Amino acid sequence: DIKGTINIASGDYVSKYDFLQYMACKFKFAKEKIGKTLMKDLDFEITRPLNTTLNINKAKKYFSIPSIFEGIDQLYIDYTKTKENENN
């Protein structure tokens, strides 16, 4: 039996910048529009944690967890199939 909270996420740590760079490359968006900024350089009133990863050890016992890049690749495949179906 699976009980309790199970965090589902990729087992990889990737920065928001690197995530967006990969997405832009995959979906052919303008990568030059993605700027790299450090949280410490922003003037936020609320402190945000730098590491927002989830512990997925419990999920890995029950599920096959793809890498973040495998997940984006599959998202792109699904997206292109949906677009093809819309055009037919």
Side-chain angles (χ1 to χ4, degrees):
D1 286 341
I2 301 174
K3 294 181 181 180
T5 301
I6 297 179
N7 296 315
I8 303 293
S10 168
D12 309 308
Y13 169 78
V14 63
S15 70
K16 290 173 179 63
Y17 175 79
D18 290 336
F19 174 82
L20 289 173
Q21 286 287 307
Y22 192 81
M23 288 284 288
C25 182
K26 194 71 182 175
F27 285 82
K28 297 175 181 58
F29 297 147
K31 286 176 26 174
E32 64 275 1
K33 294 190 178 204
I34 301 169
K36 190 171 189 174
T37 304
L38 298 174
M39 290 294 291
K40 67 180 180 111
D41 295 335
L42 299 175
D43 188 25
F44 281 136
E45 290 183 27
I46 300 171
T47 304
R48 302 273 185 211
L50 296 178
N51 182 347
T52 58
T53 58
L54 297 173
N55 181 335
I56 63 165
N57 290 336
K58 194 174 191 181
K60 287 165 56 174
K61 292 179 186 176
Y62 303 103
F63 306 105
S64 173
I65 307 290
S67 74
I68 187 73
F69 302 111
E70 290 169 330
I72 293 170
D73 291 347
Q74 186 61 53
L75 176 66
Y76 181 75
I77 290 167
D78 294 346
Y79 171 77
T80 55
K81 284 180 183 176
T82 300
K83 290 306 242 181
E84 287 173 7
N85 289 337
E86 287 176 358
N87 292 331
N88 291 330

